[in-house]
Amino acid sequence: MAETPFYITTAISYPNGRPHIGHAYEAIAADVIARFQRLMGRRVRFQTGTDEHGLKMARKAEEQGRTPADLADEMSGYFRSMCDALNVSYDRFIRTSEPDHHRASQAIWQAMEASGDLYLDRYEGWYSVRDEAYYDASELVAGEGVEKLSPQGTPVEWTVEESWFFRLSKYQDQLLELLKTPGFLEPASRRNEMIAFVEQGLRDLSVSRTSFDWGVKVPGSDGHVMYVWVDALTNYLTGLGYPDDMGDMWPASLHLIGKDIVRFHTIYWPAFLMSANLPVPQKVFGHGFLLNRGQKESKSLGNVTDPVELAETFGVDALRYFLMREVAFGQDGSYSPEAIVQRANGELGNAFGNLAQRTLGFIAKNLDGYLPAIRGHTDADNALFAAVDRAITVDIPEAFESLALQQAAEAWLQAVFACNAYIDSEAPWTLRKTDPERMETVLATLYICIAQLAVAISPVIPASSAKLLDTLGIPEDLRTIQGIRSHWYSPLAENDHRIIAPAPLFPRLELPLDEAETA
């Protein structure tokens, strides 16, 4: 597995406004997956960024009396700052306004042209500026009065202009076969939607615009800029060096995206790649929406949440843990300050943080901080070791591999509960007086299990895990699943590592006053 590369991407965010909690949710989920793969010893590349071209950006900039480039510079900065604030370990934050991306986009255009898949014609049809998407009349729904809306509920407008077209219809059979390939598109509900869409018949796709110029220029065609999705999807190749040697990272292992853009990633994008004679991604996963107390966030409702402010209020790791623990990945989920506080205090603070503090504080106080000796394990010790080992080597990895992120957190928590049941039944505070040697073995057992669980949950709460592992004295080279299973305890104890009684790892959270008053 160590030699198998893993390339994961988020959708690149459209920066016509500041990031909201949905952007944070996707970035954190991708980061958790990337960190897990590193934990398993894989060579990982993780890319995120911003999608800066298109009519929506051009109009937004015009409204504000500024250039699209100026707007993109400012807004992209907010998205990068969000990722940094949330401890998202990306390898590249890509911007589609960067020169290497323009070069890559023009290269894939020329590759599709060389395949005979581009032709010049006239586009007449419905276009949603907000979605940057074309819709057939049969897909539209009625709005107020005579207004027509896209399937996403966004306004559409009738558009007429000269356009380059891509022969999407040519790839219908290949796309249908791909969509029916087990594992390519998940969850199953998204796969079924896309299969049904393709089976209705595909029409060729308009892939250039002449009504504005904020985009990647079409090679050899004055006045045309690429349809923003041709440009945006190509970012996944740009980050690997396309059209030059991309090494062994392509095809992508996983495109992690929102459910509202599955069509672009599993129909348009594979067709572009097939046309350019490039491999298609191994997997696309369309996650659900994150709702604010059960409602979709919108400016009109006044419920849009700044994820950085949320992290500053409750803590980065508390927010990360809540999002992975609370929501069944792939489905819509809901959050509230009350729910974040409840999860953080109950599971991180009381269950795991208190377990670590009790154990390490006891070692610091009663053994002068020196690691306890092991003098033979009982059935109770071995049962706990078996439960924790199964969690960190089977249950948690299998859940992460299948993108069942909530189940991974649940498996970890069950192992934490097993440790708490063990410390209560073995009662080292009583053994201190009745059997000091047995007390040391119990404390050593707990120390080992706490270290293993800190490593296993590190993809979700990286900063807190690192802080605890530093206190435990676990060397960096042991902070992998295989490393923490090795026989490392005795050498560590022989090196006279000493424990200092730790401060609470997860200080108790309280609702902000304004939230507490409305709770």
Side-chain angles (χ1 to χ4, degrees):
M1 179 175 280
E3 295 304 314
T4 306
F6 187 87
Y7 178 35
I8 179 173
T9 70
T10 67
I12 50 175
S13 302
Y14 209 77
N16 63 323
R18 295 195 183 210
H20 55 65
I21 191 66
H23 297 117
Y25 177 56
E26 182 170 297
I28 290 170
D31 184 61
V32 168
I33 296 165
R35 288 178 183 272
F36 162 72
Q37 293 293 342
R38 295 188 193 111
L39 201 64
M40 296 301 289
R42 296 184 74 172
R43 181 162 44 87
V44 173
R45 184 167 180 86
F46 172 21
Q47 182 166 299
T48 188
T50 46
D51 170 16
E52 299 172 17
H53 294 134
L55 183 56
K56 186 162 52 175
M57 283 290 284
R59 287 189 178 175
K60 188 72 171 180
E62 186 177 10
E63 289 172 12
Q64 297 181 4
R66 61 202 298 197
T67 65
D70 183 47
L71 175 64
D73 286 343
E74 178 190 353
M75 291 298 172
S76 181
Y78 294 131
F79 282 85
R80 184 190 290 264
S81 294
M82 178 199 74
C83 287
D84 293 341
L86 298 176
N87 204 1
V88 174
S89 59
Y90 57 84
D91 294 294
R92 178 167 178 182
F93 186 97
I94 194 168
R95 297 183 57 191
T96 57
S97 56
E98 294 169 331
D100 66 335
H101 179 68
H102 282 243
R103 177 171 173 258
S105 299
Q106 291 179 332
I108 196 171
W109 181 280
Q110 290 168 328
M112 293 189 293
E113 188 174 37
S115 293
D117 289 336
L118 298 175
Y119 62 92
L120 199 60
D121 205 337
R122 177 182 175 86
Y123 176 77
E124 294 187 20
W126 296 102
Y127 189 76
S128 167
V129 177
R130 193 178 302 175
D131 298 344
E132 293 285 11
Y134 303 97
Y135 293 105
D136 187 78
S138 63
E139 298 180 84
L140 303 183
V141 296
E144 295 184 6
V146 297
E147 184 183 22
K148 296 180 183 294
L149 300 176
S150 76
Q152 311 295 339
T154 58
V156 295
E157 55 189 55
W158 186 256
T159 301
V160 179
E161 62 184 317
E162 181 183 71
S163 176
W164 284 94
F165 280 76
F166 173 74
R167 299 185 192 279
L168 183 63
S169 57
K170 170 182 173 182
Y171 294 94
Q172 178 167 323
D173 292 343
Q174 289 172 258
L175 290 169
L176 201 54
E177 182 181 354
L178 175 65
L179 288 165
K180 292 180 178 179
T181 301
F184 171 68
L185 173 56
E186 294 181 356
S189 57
R190 319 274 187 255
R191 180 167 63 251
N192 293 336
E193 288 172 11
M194 292 303 104
I195 289 173
F197 180 80
V198 174
E199 285 179 337
Q200 290 174 0
L202 295 177
R203 299 201 303 180
D204 291 350
L205 181 68
S206 172
V207 289
S208 76
R209 305 297 301 273
T210 58
S211 55
F212 62 95
D213 63 359
W214 177 241
V216 178
K217 303 297 185 289
V218 171
S221 189
D222 290 344
H224 285 257
V225 295
M226 292 182 196
Y227 173 41
V228 67
W229 277 102
V230 177
D231 152 22
L233 291 162
T234 304
N235 94 87
Y236 304 129
L237 302 177
T238 305
L240 299 179
Y242 181 81
D244 302 323
D245 183 10
M246 292 190 288
D248 61 354
M249 282 290 176
W250 190 261
S253 307
L254 174 63
H255 287 326
L256 187 64
I257 60 170
K259 65 179 182 179
D260 55 333
I261 55 173
V262 168
R263 182 190 303 183
F264 304 100
H265 283 80
T266 61
I267 297 176
Y268 299 167
W269 180 225
F272 296 160
L273 291 167
M274 291 172 185
S275 176
N277 294 310
L278 291 168
V280 300
Q282 295 175 18
K283 180 186 288 293
V284 179
F285 189 95
H287 63 77
F289 292 144
L290 195 60
L291 309 175
N292 186 337
R293 301 182 190 274
Q295 286 186 311
K296 193 170 181 179
E297 293 196 341
S298 73
K299 292 179 181 177
S300 61
L301 292 174
N303 66 347
V304 177
T305 303
D306 181 338
V308 176
E309 288 183 4
L310 207 60
E312 289 172 348
T313 300
F314 299 111
V316 172
D317 279 356
L319 177 62
R320 289 173 61 107
Y321 178 82
F322 169 81
L323 293 175
M324 298 302 100
R325 175 78 175 91
E326 182 77 9
V327 181
F329 201 55
Q331 299 178 20
D332 290 349
S334 190
Y335 77 96
S336 67
E338 299 91 341
I340 296 171
V341 168
Q342 184 178 11
R343 287 282 189 201
N345 287 344
E347 297 177 2
L348 289 181
N350 294 344
F352 188 55
N354 193 39
L355 169 70
Q357 192 170 13
R358 281 202 293 173
T359 302
L360 300 184
F362 205 85
I363 292 171
K365 181 178 179 180
N366 294 282
L367 298 175
D368 199 24
Y370 289 105
L371 297 190
I374 296 174
R375 296 182 172 87
H377 287 299
T378 66
D379 289 345
D381 304 340
N382 291 328
L384 181 63
F385 281 136
V388 171
D389 189 66
R390 176 174 177 81
I392 71 168
T393 62
V394 179
D395 298 340
I396 296 173
E398 285 184 355
F400 273 131
E401 284 286 2
S402 62
L403 305 184
L405 307 185
Q406 184 186 51
Q407 287 85 339
E410 171 66 22
W412 172 81
L413 187 62
Q414 291 303 315
V416 172
F417 288 157
C419 290
N420 278 300
Y422 171 86
I423 193 174
D424 289 341
S425 65
E426 296 300 314
W429 46 87
T430 300
L431 293 172
R432 179 172 62 88
K433 299 176 182 178
T434 62
D435 192 346
E437 290 191 355
R438 174 62 187 158
M439 175 199 74
E440 289 201 48
T441 300
V442 167
L443 293 173
T445 300
L446 286 165
Y447 177 98
I448 292 168
C449 290
I450 289 168
Q452 291 176 326
L453 291 172
V455 169
I457 200 63
S458 63
V460 181
I461 52 170
S464 300
S465 293
K467 182 178 179 181
L468 177 56
L469 291 165
D470 288 345
T471 301
L472 290 164
I474 307 301
E476 289 285 345
D477 63 338
L478 294 181
R479 299 182 188 186
T480 66
I481 294 299
Q482 288 305 314
I484 206 66
R485 292 189 74 208
S486 62
H487 300 288
W488 50 268
Y489 181 77
S490 294
L492 195 64
E494 291 168 4
N495 288 337
D496 290 336
H497 175 72
R498 297 182 70 182
I499 299 295
I500 299 173
L505 191 60
F506 305 101
R508 184 169 182 80
L509 296 180
E510 301 289 345
L511 280 174
L513 186 59
D514 57 339
E515 294 287 351
E517 290 173 347
T518 58

